[in-house]
Amino acid sequence: MIRKLLKRIPSPFSRPAHRRTTPAIIPASQHSLKRSQISRNAVTVVERLQQAGYQAFAVGGCVRDLLLDLDPKDYDVATSATPEQVRATFRNSRLIGRRFKLAHVFFGREIIEVATFRAGHADDRDASQGREQSLQSESGRLLRDNVYGSLEEDAQRRDFTINALYYDVCKGTIHDYVNGVQDIRNARVRLIGNPVQRYQEDPVRMLRAIRFAAKLDFEIEPHTAAPITELADLLHDIPAARLFDEVLKLLLGGQGERTFDLLLEYDLFAPLFPDTDEAIDERPDYTLQLIRQALRNTDQRISEGRPVTPAFLFAALLWPALPQRTRELEQQGIPQIPAQQQAAHELLAEQCRHTAIPKRFTLPLREIWDMQPRLERRNGRRADQLLEHPRFRAAYDFLLLREAAGEQTDGLGDWWTQYQDANPELRRRMVQQLSNGDAARKRSRAPRKRKPRSGAAQ
Ligand code: ATP
Ligand code: MG
């Protein structure tokens, strides 16, 4: 009761998200969402749960995206039914997760994720608590993740107001407890509750704020934006596997370049890619140019529906950090080639402590890197052999990327562009010319008496 009363009194920390200005239940006549826009399977799940006597809604990203005329990635349903009750309602369902139990309902290739309303517990937290205590809270959170709650409690425990909208596909109403519809109209990403506290509960929300701002072209509301830079280092406590997944969503979501700029602006890039961040400090023009170009190409491919691989993107993100590590090893007396190999190995191992890149991506990434010096050696049969290498195309694209960022390669990219299109005769001549060039260079390097240089350039 006291808590209820307290909730009505705006605290100095509470955001306007608590002060609802529109009615909580928005009738169909006052919003643009149509039942026909929702996946038929999601509609079926909501209807069947409601027929069985439970509350059920389409929720989260799908409602947000449809209100913005975007195509939802997938559909989530929130319900008052427990996972076991959902399981009992749908033969085509399975329970997943241990600490955080959910039901998946299968329709061919489409999976509708059904989550039971849960209560948040933000009020139990003291935002100023120290690290050890927050670790305790961390385990507290995990233990309490399956505390079920009401619809309104479920709305409050979600991250952003725009993600806390519930669409009743049967009645056509939207339940909005946090002014999410208004924030969608005003293009704002706003955390529900006290931002510092919500970021401390789950620092990944900082990355999510950036992701939604970039994806939707929304502004991050000032109170939601303000603590991010200060709290960015909290990301170091997040398991590297989860951060890898988040980085994929951030940079391979179709707005990679814009997202990257926001990550830099909010100091969130350094905890994800510390070595690359140092490279940005050292050689800003080259490093930024290389990464932005890689992301621009990726965004372009995604917009054309062409496939993209995380291996290529990570190869680009980490490439500018290689020379520094190589130099350090060379200074320890290791020759150049093994130094490069070892630097690549160490850099990837270090990066995996921050974002756990699976082997299926680190292996092709290494191949792309290792092929860069090999693309220079084209004599004899080598050029044709390289052309047949399964990773040739990626390695060639990577070479062009390096050149676009200003690396000097003596026209190597152009040579390979021409070679790929050439007929066998022209190819033979191109390789021949290389040998001639080599011979000429060797001759010019042959020992000869040097004339003493004249002029000022001594
Ligand atoms: P998209 O799927 O388009 O990336 P989404 O909003 O559906 O966006 P999901 O990661 O699929 O994002 O999460 C589904 C919903 O779960 C979100 O809309 C939000 O309500 C809630 N949610 C997800 N992650 C968090 C989090 N870290 N803290 C609080 N709520 C979250
Ligand atoms: Mg989703």
Side-chain angles (χ1 to χ4, degrees):
M1 181 64 190
I2 289 175
R3 226 192 211 166
K4 261 193 179 163
L5 270 176
L6 278 177
K7 266 192 181 162
R8 285 199 205 125
I9 304 167
S11 97
F13 296 110
S14 67
R15 300 276 54 80
H18 285 299
R19 280 179 260 132
R20 207 169 53 227
T21 52
T22 48
I25 300 178
I26 305 170
S29 58
Q30 284 174 34
H31 64 77
S32 60
L33 209 62
K34 299 276 169 299
R35 174 194 166 100
S36 57
Q37 292 174 280
I38 306 267
S39 137
R40 273 180 55 92
N41 297 325
V43 170
T44 303
V45 171
V46 171
E47 276 177 349
R48 292 252 303 269
L49 284 167
Q50 289 199 4
Q51 280 157 13
Y54 305 109
Q55 285 178 287
F57 303 87
V59 66
C62 63
V63 181
R64 176 199 69 216
D65 288 351
L66 287 171
L67 283 172
L68 288 164
D69 260 338
L70 300 170
D71 222 3
K73 242 181 20 207
D74 44 36
Y75 285 84
D76 294 315
V77 167
T79 180
S80 58
T82 63
E84 289 73 17
Q85 288 167 333
V86 177
R87 173 78 194 89
T89 312
F90 298 95
R91 276 213 324 228
N92 50 330
S93 69
R94 221 180 58 184
L95 298 190
I96 59 152
R98 264 182 302 161
R99 280 193 296 255
F100 185 95
K101 238 193 249 170
L102 294 169
H104 276 176
V105 187
F106 296 88
F107 297 88
R109 289 182 58 195
E110 190 178 16
I111 298 174
I112 306 293
E113 193 164 283
V114 186
T116 304
F117 297 149
R118 275 176 297 128
H121 33 82
D123 297 351
D124 305 345
R125 303 284 180 85
D126 176 353
S128 63
Q129 65 197 184
R131 198 157 176 256
E132 255 170 0
Q133 272 169 306
S134 59
L135 274 179
Q136 280 172 4
S137 334
E138 177 83 11
S139 56
R141 167 161 65 95
L142 296 173
L143 286 172
R144 296 181 57 150
D145 254 355
N146 270 335
V147 174
Y148 301 131
S150 66
L151 166 60
E152 187 157 356
E153 282 171 322
D154 193 70
Q156 297 294 342
R157 63 101 192 160
R158 288 179 185 266
D159 48 6
F160 304 102
T161 61
I162 57 172
N163 286 348
L165 297 172
Y166 298 74
Y167 180 55
D168 183 330
V169 300
C170 301
K171 297 200 187 75
T173 50
I174 291 178
H175 291 238
D176 177 5
Y177 297 95
V178 291
N179 273 337
V181 170
Q182 199 180 35
D183 281 332
I184 286 188
R185 287 192 181 126
N186 294 331
R188 296 246 160 77
V189 177
R190 185 196 307 271
L191 263 176
I192 298 167
N194 176 316
V196 171
Q197 194 170 334
R198 299 305 310 276
Y199 290 139
Q200 284 178 331
E201 278 173 17
D202 182 2
V204 169
R205 288 174 184 149
M206 296 187 277
L207 297 177
R208 289 174 61 86
I210 302 300
R211 176 152 73 86
F212 295 123
K215 167 178 161 156
L216 308 170
D217 199 9
F218 275 24
E219 177 209 10
I220 305 178
E221 174 275 326
H223 293 95
T224 300
I228 296 183
T229 303
E230 187 99 346
L231 300 179
D233 278 344
L234 289 180
L235 285 178
H236 288 301
D237 297 335
I238 303 296
R242 186 171 176 209
L243 286 187
F244 175 76
D245 289 344
E246 276 312 312
V247 166
L248 289 195
K249 289 188 207 164
L250 283 160
L251 300 181
L252 289 171
Q255 295 296 343
E257 194 185 0
R258 198 190 299 166
T259 307
F260 172 67
D261 284 335
L262 283 175
L263 289 174
L264 285 180
E265 184 183 330
Y266 285 95
D267 289 348
L268 289 168
F269 186 73
L272 297 173
F273 293 92
D275 283 83
T276 310
D277 195 62
E278 272 180 35
I280 294 176
D281 282 345
E282 267 169 42
R283 293 177 69 190
D285 291 348
Y286 160 73
T287 307
L288 290 172
Q289 168 73 9
L290 186 108
I291 294 174
R292 287 217 178 94
Q293 189 61 49
L295 289 167
R296 212 171 295 145
N297 297 349
T298 304
D299 291 345
Q300 175 74 22
R301 288 181 74 100
I302 292 170
S303 76
E304 292 165 1
R306 289 155 70 200
V308 288
T309 159
F312 188 90
L313 188 60
F314 273 79
L317 284 161
L318 296 169
W319 176 258
L322 259 185
Q324 170 68 15
R325 273 188 185 259
T326 310
R327 262 197 310 279
E328 280 167 17
L329 292 168
E330 281 180 314
Q331 277 158 13
Q332 292 167 25
I334 303 175
Q336 194 203 3
I337 302 283
Q340 260 171 15
Q341 296 281 331
Q342 195 177 328
H345 176 79
E346 287 178 8
L347 176 57
L348 281 182
E350 175 60 23
Q351 180 60 35
C352 284
R353 294 200 314 114
H354 302 278
T355 61
I357 314 170
K359 272 233 162 57
R360 66 179 187 282
F361 299 131
T362 52
L363 293 178
L365 184 161
R366 276 299 298 269
E367 282 186 307
I368 291 171
W369 281 357
D370 292 348
M371 277 184 80
Q372 296 310 301
R374 290 176 60 197
L375 288 173
E376 290 168 32
R377 299 195 286 273
R378 295 153 284 169
N379 283 329
R381 296 254 319 119
R382 280 193 182 140
D384 285 334
Q385 282 164 357
L386 278 173
L387 214 51
E388 255 144 54
H389 193 290
R391 209 64 68 192
F392 171 80
R393 183 68 210 193
Y396 162 73
D397 285 344
F398 197 77
L399 170 66
L400 297 187
L401 183 68
R402 290 167 49 211
E403 290 181 344
E407 273 190 57
Q408 295 305 321
T409 63
D410 209 6
L412 193 59
D414 277 348
W415 191 93
W416 276 109
T417 307
Q418 204 190 341
Y419 193 79
Q420 288 174 78
D421 287 340
N423 60 31
E425 171 55 23
L426 180 56
R427 284 187 181 178
R428 202 183 53 72
R429 266 190 282 132
M430 285 176 75
V431 172
Q432 182 69 40
Q433 273 164 12
L434 286 175
S435 316
N436 294 347
D438 283 352
R441 259 193 299 280
K442 266 191 199 139
R443 268 199 305 282
S444 73
R445 261 190 264 129
R448 62 189 155 122
K449 275 204 180 143
R450 282 186 175 224
K451 277 192 207 152
R453 270 203 248 173
S454 58
Q458 292 268 343

